[in-house]
Amino acid sequence: MVRLHVKRGDESQFLLEAAGSARLADLAPLVARIYNGRLKVQRLCSEMQELAEHGVFLPYNMQGLTDEQIEELKLKDEWAEKCVPSGGSVFKKDEIGRRNGHAPNEKMQQVIKKTIEEAKALISRKQVQAGVCVNMEMVKDALDQLRGAVMIVYPMGLPPHDPVRMEFEDKEDLSGTHAGLEVIGESEAQLWWAGKELKETKLLSDYIGKNEKTTIIVKIQKKGQGAPGREPLISHEEQKQMMLYYYRKQEELKKLEEDDDDSFLNAEWADNHALKRQFHGVKDIKWRPR
């Protein structure tokens, strides 16, 4: 199996195994599906963190309003009484004004937070460093874990306008957001390798040959965006080490320039009489007054 190191720009995303005989018309959408699935997990983890700390999402017409304004406008959150977390709630006001402040108790908060950490670990970029390949089953497993945690803490469900529920039901509206710009539709996905566009009409082996035990860096782009930037000749870490090396060399040269030209005469190896004293057995003799 060929190992694909998938990147978006200069950032590593995940490793994926594919057969050399894989059709690029199928491979590009698969890469996009996993890439978008990881983004969904990340969005869910972010929103579920807020859910654990500040409770469910307020109706849109109540968000950002003060208690006085809500009372003056006679607005009421009909979902507050329906969506009560298991074991009761503790009040923790949401300073942003997006959630109702009725957070789960400490035990239920830990259920959500622990699940978030486990889901993040499954699709983490650190999997690249560990050499672990990610597939769609792992993404689905992360989503199922998150869904299960929400069902445990909120057995009555979440309001239909809550971002967590909308993500699970694939009804999220990302238009006009930075998160929406990150998503790459499966039909829009284009893979690049070594500065070449991998054509959908060809096989992976048409570009990399018959070697099934190789790793290549592929970059995912939207169609029409043009070629992605080439990989730097040296990594950021290597560049830091080189700069550190030349800095030390420069400091050493400065010290040499500051030293007197005859400073070496004080060194032991420059003493003309050292060998003679050694033969006479009078080396390292110190004279002290009695």
Side-chain angles (χ1 to χ4, degrees):
M1 299 289 279
V2 179
R3 180 169 287 191
L4 307 179
H5 180 174
V6 180
K7 287 190 171 186
R8 174 70 162 149
D10 292 331
E11 294 185 346
S12 295
Q13 300 296 323
F14 56 91
L15 297 177
L16 173 67
E17 285 187 336
S21 58
R23 295 173 62 247
L24 287 162
D26 300 325
L27 187 57
L30 174 61
V31 172
R33 204 174 307 133
I34 296 173
Y35 171 78
N36 292 332
R38 291 177 67 257
L39 292 178
K40 178 183 278 289
V41 172
Q42 290 166 8
R43 292 195 302 269
L44 270 166
C45 288
S46 176
E47 287 294 346
M48 284 177 62
Q49 185 73 31
E50 294 296 314
L51 176 68
E53 294 180 359
H54 302 293
V56 300
F57 217 61
L58 284 168
Y60 294 114
N61 63 342
M62 295 177 64
Q63 291 182 20
L65 300 180
T66 63
D67 294 338
E68 292 76 15
Q69 290 172 323
I70 291 173
E71 186 177 350
E72 184 180 344
L73 295 171
K74 298 180 180 180
L75 300 175
K76 184 179 180 181
D77 182 6
E78 298 178 355
W79 293 94
E81 297 178 359
K82 299 177 184 178
C83 304
V84 178
S86 297
S89 62
V90 292
F91 189 75
K92 187 177 179 182
K93 185 176 178 62
D94 182 7
E95 298 300 332
I96 303 176
R98 295 170 73 238
R99 296 184 173 272
N100 66 8
H102 297 288
N105 61 33
E106 184 64 28
K107 183 179 178 181
M108 292 295 105
Q109 283 187 31
Q110 289 306 314
V111 170
I112 293 178
K113 292 179 179 180
K114 183 180 178 182
T115 307
I116 287 173
E117 294 304 315
E118 292 173 353
K120 281 182 176 180
L122 271 177
I123 54 92
S124 171
R125 291 176 182 172
K126 293 180 180 178
Q127 297 281 47
V128 175
Q129 300 171 358
V132 177
C133 293
V134 176
N135 52 42
M136 202 57 213
E137 285 68 30
M138 293 172 69
V139 174
K140 288 179 180 177
D141 189 21
L143 291 171
D144 288 342
Q145 288 184 25
L146 295 172
R147 185 181 287 107
V150 172
M151 291 176 66
I152 290 171
V153 180
Y154 287 93
M156 301 300 292
L158 296 174
H161 54 270
D162 195 295
V164 175
R165 177 172 170 177
M166 294 175 73
E167 286 282 0
F168 284 133
E169 296 177 352
D170 295 326
K171 295 178 180 178
E172 68 274 15
D173 182 13
L174 303 178
S175 56
T177 66
H178 177 69
L181 298 176
E182 292 181 323
V183 174
I184 299 176
E186 293 181 25
S187 61
E188 300 176 310
Q190 181 65 63
L191 299 180
W192 291 75
W193 170 67
K196 301 175 185 176
E197 179 184 346
L198 304 185
K199 301 287 185 181
E200 294 180 352
T201 54
K202 295 191 175 184
L203 305 178
L204 184 59
S205 59
D206 292 336
Y207 292 95
I208 66 170
K210 301 297 183 181
N211 185 5
E212 292 278 341
K213 295 182 179 180
T214 186
T215 300
I216 63 172
I217 295 176
V218 297
K219 294 195 174 184
I220 184 170
Q221 291 270 96
K222 287 184 180 180
K223 290 179 180 177
Q225 286 187 332
R230 285 186 172 272
E231 289 288 300
L233 296 177
I234 59 173
S235 68
H236 179 65
E237 186 61 31
E238 289 173 333
Q239 187 179 19
K240 283 171 60 178
Q241 293 298 326
M242 287 175 62
M243 291 177 67
L244 181 61
Y245 171 78
Y246 286 115
Y247 173 77
R248 287 173 177 168
K249 277 290 183 185
Q250 192 175 29
E251 291 299 308
E252 288 176 8
L253 289 173
K254 284 182 181 178
K255 288 181 179 179
L256 288 174
E257 290 176 359
E258 292 171 359
D259 289 339
D260 295 329
D261 291 340
D262 59 354
S263 61
F264 68 91
L265 295 175
N266 296 323
E268 184 179 349
W269 58 266
D271 186 355
N272 293 329
H273 304 288
L275 185 61
K276 181 179 179 180
R277 284 200 300 271
Q278 187 174 356
F279 278 118
H280 284 82
V282 293
K283 185 180 180 182
D284 296 331
I285 294 177
K286 298 180 179 179
W287 302 96
R288 293 182 183 175
R290 293 183 179 178

